[in-house]
Amino acid sequence: MIRRKLAAFMYGRYGSFGIDSLNMFLIAAGLILYIVGAVVRGRIASAVIFAVQTAAYVYLIFRFLSKNITARRKENDRFRALFSRVKGWFGLQKNRIRDRGKFVYKKCPECGAVLRLPYSKGEHTVRCPKCQNRFGVKNG
Ligand SMILES: [Zn+2]
C-alpha cells in the first residue's frame, strides 16, 4: 500500500530515473561537510558549514522530486563538464610535480593548448602541434 503510493508519488520525477552524477556529488558533499562540521570548533565556521550542507540537501531533494527531467539532465551535463575540467586541472598539477626538472608545461597563447616540453635552460621557440603557432619559451 505504502509502496504503491510511493511509486505513484515518484512517477515522472527525476529521482525515479536513478542517481545522476550531480546528485551523487551532493550526497558526498553533504556527508563530507557533516564530518568537517563535527571536527570544526568555531561557531561561525560551524554555522557556515551547516548552511552549505543544508543547501546541498535541499537542492538534492528538489532535484530528486523535480518533474522537469530535461532541465535536470542539462544541469547534470553542465556539472559533468565542469567536474571534468576541475579534474583535468588537478591532473595537470600532479603531472607538473611529477615532471619537475624534466618537463615544463606551457600554454599556447594562440589556442590555449597546454604543451609538455622537455626542460632545457634558456630561450626557445616552440611550435604548437595543435594550431602551428610559434611562440617563445624561456626556462630559468
Ligand atoms: Zn596552439
Side-chain angles (χ1 to χ4, degrees), residues 10-23:
M10 281 311 292
Y11 182 76
R13 292 180 194 271
Y14 193 64
S16 67
F17 295 96
I19 298 170
D20 66 3
S21 304
L22 179 50
N23 278 356

Side-chain angles (χ1 to χ4, degrees), residues 108 110-113 128 130-133:
C108 170
E110 198 65 32
C111 72
C128 172
K130 204 174 160 192
C131 72
Q132 315 301 322
N133 169 51

Side-chain angles (χ1 to χ4, degrees), residues 88-128:
W89 186 85
F90 277 106
L92 181 64
Q93 302 318 309
K94 205 180 107 193
N95 291 346
R96 268 197 171 134
I97 293 164
R98 183 196 64 200
D99 293 341
R100 183 169 285 167
K102 283 176 252 152
F103 293 95
V104 287
Y105 290 80
K106 298 285 179 188
K107 204 172 182 178
C108 170
E110 198 65 32
C111 72
V114 178
L115 313 182
R116 181 173 177 257
L117 310 162
Y119 176 85
S120 66
K121 251 188 174 149
E123 285 181 52
H124 313 280
T125 304
V126 177
R127 191 176 53 118
C128 172

